Amino acid sequence: MKISTLLAVLVLSAGLCDATDSLAADDVPNLVGTWKTECHGELIQHTKDGPQGNQHREPGFSTISGEAIVTSQEGRIFRGKFRSPKFTSNIVGIIHSNGADPQFPHRISFMNDYNNGHHEGFLIGGRIYYMYRHSSATDTSIALCVSMK
């Protein structure tokens, strides 16, 4: 899926989910910069012909360290790259309001452009805590991650 299509889907979803959002534009956190990231998870390989060189992780349980680099942000929409020692992928995302819960005011959702991987989490105290997941004909992956500037 092209990054422009992913961005359009995220923008539409944000409009529907955050129609009652009361946060002012200057309350939106600035994510631009490099976020050191660590993820713990599992990759299940379904076929021998899976995208071996097109993954951040090896099959089985693993920990990967990388960087989420947010290169630009316009309001609640952001874009950038996720880079690990094995692979680099483009990301697009959105910052949601978390409604009336002041303890977790900002939800973060983003996707990558190579396997429709989807990330959901919260920005808490300068860290982004999130879950990553994707499933395809060749493999399935899930991970818990934390990113910090």
Side-chain angles (χ1 to χ4, degrees):
M1 186 179 287
K2 291 185 177 178
I3 202 161
S4 58
T5 305
L6 289 173
L7 187 57
V9 168
L10 285 169
V11 169
L12 180 60
S13 298
L16 295 173
C17 294
D18 288 329
T20 60
D21 185 10
S22 62
L23 289 177
D26 47 291
D27 288 337
V28 176
N30 180 358
L31 300 182
V32 173
T34 300
W35 295 75
K36 294 189 185 307
T37 301
E38 189 165 289
C39 297
H40 306 282
E42 161 131 32
L43 175 81
I44 301 169
Q45 195 80 36
H46 301 306
T47 68
K48 287 193 274 184
D49 301 330
Q52 306 291 342
N54 209 18
Q55 292 286 350
H56 291 290
R57 66 177 65 251
E58 298 292 330
F61 293 106
S62 64
T63 298
I64 61 168
S65 296
E67 296 177 321
I69 304 161
V70 178
T71 55
S72 62
Q73 179 177 335
E74 191 170 306
R76 295 183 178 277
I77 311 291
F78 62 91
R79 70 171 42 224
K81 297 183 179 306
F82 181 81
R83 180 172 52 209
S84 73
K86 289 188 66 181
F87 188 66
T88 298
S89 57
N90 295 310
I91 57 172
V92 293
I94 194 154
I95 304 164
H96 309 265
S97 166
N98 197 30
D101 188 345
Q103 187 175 5
F104 307 108
H106 302 290
R107 285 190 337 234
I108 307 290
S109 298
F110 57 105
M111 297 178 77
N112 64 43
D113 69 344
Y114 76 96
N115 64 5
N116 296 322
H118 188 228
H119 310 70
E120 286 286 335
F122 293 96
L123 176 64
I124 304 168
R127 293 181 181 206
I128 302 172
Y129 298 90
Y130 60 95
M131 180 183 74
Y132 168 81
R133 64 192 178 277
H134 83 257
S135 186
S136 69
T138 59
D139 61 272
T140 299
S141 182
I142 193 161
L144 292 174
C145 306
V146 61
S147 296
M148 63 195 106
K149 274 190 173 178

